């Protein structure tokens, strides 16, 4: 099925605005909404990133902490996230996007404080699962909410605020770990996440429900009030409401995901999710210092290289936000994933030439290649995956479809996290990076053939185009 039929130019921005000042003010309201909601992304990044440093100090409170215990502390978050993503998709279709984000923020507060004050190791392990529930829920509900509130011409950038906040969260976690390591303050490392969690809760109280959810649940007057607030003054609010309404009522079931038109989109979402993880981003995010240390870099040089990789991750996400509504999703996705493949082959070749221990020059090439790899991810597959799964699905079943893709993402993340170190030991560093390089090439080819362009279209136009393209190419 080739359905990149949406890349024709479509004018959705309408005539030049009659009230520039009001347009700016409205722009600010939407940017503010996206920024508040993206605190969910910050928590996602912080909570997944913080653990690597905290693990080093658990023994100061709990005595003997086995390797398996450490795996539980790390891995249960990923399992909780898969469960959280599943539950929150269903729930956000039923009770609305806003209550789900409020609930998510509450679970975050409970989980991170529970982890910080854990009296025993098993409590900490249980709390990491609870935090995972919130991380999974946030990873779905934040892009979903922002995509439904944002005007089409800047939707890509606003949804990608979430990815930017996520990368910032990872970087802040690395820096906090580094700063607190001299005091072995692992409780504070976990507990600091309570601050953005409370801010997310309070900030979300000031925000309205998604207009798309309101219309699909028959609450037209409320939807109109929200749209008046988040659209420019010259926007045809009633036209937008009619468009959303025309797409049908709210009743939906999981069976609908098997409908031929939806099934193909669900497959695209799941493959995007799986490729995002099996091309190895988190092996770099979670294990780069370990790998570099084993390759012969000193402790502080490894940590510094890691912070550098974190900075590249944030920087290139900013570039992606700038480009995503201009050059489109496909160009970033395909270009970025190809860049990842090239960089991974360079890392593999470096290890192949020098063996598992790198000399000075080889270590510099490896670190530079890992930075290029991370930058290529950050400009493409990182933000574009989360954006596309918030755009591709029909409004009525958006939450459910997104939850399938999000669960696949967390599931694949879990599998990669538990198998990476074994893979390194079994097929060597060079072998592992060659495999990741080939998987990236396979991903780029798949994206090129199957992933549609959604730039500049309204969610309703995308929905109609997707249905029509399945009729054309059943
Ligand atoms: C991925 C995460 C990853 C992060 C790195 C996200 O898009 O879903 O698994 O840790 O990017 O920036």
């Amino acid at each position: 099925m080739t359905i990149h039929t949406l890349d024709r130019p479509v004018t959705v921005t309408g005539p030049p605005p009659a009230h520039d000042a009001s347009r700016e003010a409205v722009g600010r309201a939407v940017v503010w909404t996206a920024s508040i909601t993206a605190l969910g992304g910050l928590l996602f990044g912080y909570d997944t990133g913080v653990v690597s440093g905290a693990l080093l100090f658990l023994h100061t409170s709990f005595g003997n902490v086995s390797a398996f215990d450490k795996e539980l502390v790390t891995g249960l978050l990923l399992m909780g996230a898969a469960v959280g993503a599943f539950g929150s998709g269903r729930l956000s279709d039923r009770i609305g996007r806003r209550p789900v984000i409020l609930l998510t923020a509450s679970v975050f507060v409970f989980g991170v404080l529970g982890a910080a004050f854990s009296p025993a190791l098993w409590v900490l392990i249980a709390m990491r699962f609870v935090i995972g529930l919130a991380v999974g829920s946030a990873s779905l509900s934040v892009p979903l909410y922002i995509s439904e509130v944002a005007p089409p011409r800047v939707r890509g950038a606003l949804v990608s605020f979430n990815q930017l906040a996520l990368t910032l969260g990872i970087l802040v976690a690395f820096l906090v770990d580094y700063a607190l390591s001299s005091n072995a303050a692992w409780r504070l490392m976990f507990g600091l996440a309570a601050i953005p969690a409370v801010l997310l809760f309070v900030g979300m109280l000031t925000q309205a429900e998604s207009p798309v959810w309101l219309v699909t649940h028959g609450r037209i007057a409320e939807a109109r009030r929200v749209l008046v607030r988040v659209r420019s003054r010259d926007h045809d609010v009633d036209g937008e409401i009619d468009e959303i309404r025309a797409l049908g009522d709210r009743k939906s079931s999981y069976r609908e995901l098997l409908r031929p038109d939806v099934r193909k989109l669900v497959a695209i979402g799941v493959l995007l999710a799986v490729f995002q993880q099996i091309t190895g981003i988190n092996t770099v995010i979670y294990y780069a210092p370990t790998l570099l240390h084993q390759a012969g870099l000193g402790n502080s040089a490894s940590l510094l290289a890691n912070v550098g990789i974190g900075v590249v991750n944030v920087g290139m996400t900013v570039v992606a936000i700038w480009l995503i509504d201009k050059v489109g999703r496909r160009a970033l996705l395909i270009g970025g994933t190809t860049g990842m493949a090239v960089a991974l082959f360079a890392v593999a070749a470096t290890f192949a030439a020098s063996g598992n221990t790198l000399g000075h020059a080889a270590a510099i090439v490896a670190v530079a290649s890992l930075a290029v790899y991370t930058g290529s991810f950050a400009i493409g597959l990182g933000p574009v995956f989360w954006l596309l799964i918030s755009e591709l699905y029909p409004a009525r079943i958006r939450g459910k479809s997104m939850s399938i893709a999000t669960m696949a993402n967390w599931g694949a993340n879990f599998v990669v996290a538990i198998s990476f170190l074994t893979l390194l030991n079994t097929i060597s560093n060079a072998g592992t990076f060659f495999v990741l390089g080939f998987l990236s090439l396979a991903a780029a080819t798949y994206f090129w053939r199957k992933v549609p362009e959604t730039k500049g279209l309204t969610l309703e136009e995308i929905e109609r185009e997707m249905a029509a393209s399945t009729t054309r190419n059943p």
Side-chain angles (χ1 to χ4, degrees):
M1 175 188 67
T2 307
I3 50 171
H4 31 95
T5 52
L6 301 188
D7 40 14
R8 61 186 166 65
V10 173
T11 310
V12 289
T13 44
H19 309 279
D20 272 337
S22 92
R23 174 171 276 241
E24 259 174 44
V26 168
R28 272 200 295 276
V30 172
V31 170
W32 180 234
T33 297
S35 310
I36 288 177
T37 327
L39 284 168
L42 188 89
L43 285 155
F44 168 173
Y46 186 87
D47 284 310
T48 50
V50 79
V51 72
S52 55
L55 283 182
L56 303 176
F57 308 108
L58 297 183
H59 67 274
T60 59
S61 306
F62 303 129
N64 198 7
V65 178
S66 69
F68 182 61
D69 291 333
K70 288 184 185 173
E71 276 166 17
L72 284 179
V73 172
T74 312
L76 273 191
L77 179 137
L78 303 178
M79 288 174 78
V83 178
F86 182 71
S88 70
R90 235 184 130 80
L91 212 58
S92 54
D93 280 347
R94 189 174 309 161
I95 65 171
R97 318 323 193 188
R98 180 176 175 271
V100 169
I101 299 180
L102 286 169
L103 186 66
T104 304
S106 317
V107 177
F108 263 127
V109 176
F110 176 76
V112 297
L113 291 181
F117 291 105
S118 300
L121 187 59
W122 73 263
V123 180
L124 175 63
I125 292 171
M127 285 303 153
R128 287 286 293 173
F129 183 80
V130 173
I131 297 171
L133 293 175
V135 168
S137 172
S139 71
L140 176 140
S141 48
V142 171
L144 171 60
Y145 178 79
I146 302 179
S147 78
E148 292 185 341
V149 175
R153 73 196 151 87
V154 288
R155 188 179 58 240
L158 291 183
V159 174
S160 301
F161 270 28
N162 188 52
Q163 177 74 15
L164 179 62
L166 197 171
T167 57
L168 274 172
I170 294 175
L171 183 61
V172 170
F174 287 165
L175 293 171
V176 166
D177 280 358
Y178 187 60
L180 296 181
S181 59
S182 53
N183 301 328
W186 69 267
R187 291 183 188 276
L188 195 53
M189 292 176 188
F190 284 126
L192 278 176
I195 299 172
V198 169
L199 288 178
L200 174 62
F201 186 87
V202 175
M204 214 50 214
L205 285 177
T206 67
Q207 299 300 309
E209 181 52 81
S210 134
V212 176
W213 187 88
L214 287 170
V215 172
T216 49
H217 286 69
R219 290 160 59 173
I220 308 297
E222 282 169 79
R224 185 173 293 115
R225 275 201 297 278
V226 180
L227 283 172
V228 165
R229 206 181 121 215
V230 297
R231 295 285 183 269
S232 55
R233 212 181 283 171
D234 53 335
H235 181 74
D236 177 9
V237 166
D238 287 315
E240 183 167 348
I241 291 177
D242 287 345
E243 254 202 289
I244 303 171
R245 253 175 153 169
L247 296 172
D249 67 19
R250 70 195 164 107
K251 284 188 207 71
S252 72
S253 75
Y254 275 98
R255 192 168 310 156
E256 242 185 282
L257 303 189
L258 298 175
R259 244 173 43 196
D261 53 336
V262 180
R263 197 168 58 205
K264 287 177 180 165
L265 299 177
V266 171
I268 292 179
V270 168
L271 276 161
L272 272 163
V274 171
F275 276 132
Q276 199 207 36
Q277 294 300 324
I278 63 172
T279 46
I281 186 61
N282 288 316
T283 64
V284 175
I285 302 282
Y286 303 162
Y287 296 116
T290 314
L291 192 75
L292 297 172
H293 187 63
Q294 281 168 6
L297 252 69
N299 245 340
S300 58
S302 307
L303 279 175
L304 203 66
N306 203 33
V307 170
I309 287 172
V311 170
V312 170
N313 196 15
V314 175
M316 290 307 277
T317 308
V318 174
V319 178
I321 288 180
W322 178 58
L323 288 177
I324 207 158
D325 291 310
K326 297 190 177 76
V327 306
R329 289 52 166 155
R330 275 176 58 81
L332 293 186
L333 188 61
I334 299 164
T337 314
T338 310
M340 287 162 65
V342 172
L344 286 166
F345 287 136
V347 179
T350 315
F351 278 116
S354 344
N356 278 357
T357 308
L358 303 176
H360 184 69
I364 291 177
V365 176
V367 172
S369 307
L370 286 179
V372 171
Y373 163 79
T374 309
S376 308
F377 174 88
I379 205 173
L381 196 45
V384 176
F385 160 66
W386 295 107
L387 174 60
L388 279 175
I389 64 165
S390 74
E391 296 183 325
L392 285 179
Y393 302 112
R396 276 188 351 276
I397 48 165
R398 192 166 289 144
K400 289 193 180 73
S401 323
M402 277 183 81
S403 75
I404 303 288
T406 312
M407 266 172 61
N409 189 269
W410 288 109
N413 190 339
F414 180 70
V415 171
V416 174
I418 57 167
S419 50
F420 179 64
L421 292 180
T422 317
L423 207 61
L424 286 180
N425 289 333
T426 322
I427 60 168
S428 82
N429 292 2
T432 306
F433 282 101
F434 269 124
V435 169
L436 294 177
F438 280 118
L439 288 172
S440 302
L441 270 190
T445 314
Y446 173 80
F447 299 153
W448 176 60
R449 296 198 48 221
K450 301 284 187 193
V451 172
E453 183 56 81
T454 51
K455 176 186 74 164
L457 300 171
T458 67
L459 293 178
E460 293 71 37
E461 283 167 330
I462 296 172
E463 188 165 338
R464 279 198 300 272
E465 277 288 338
M466 288 302 170
S469 85
T470 314
T471 321
R472 284 196 298 270
N473 311 296

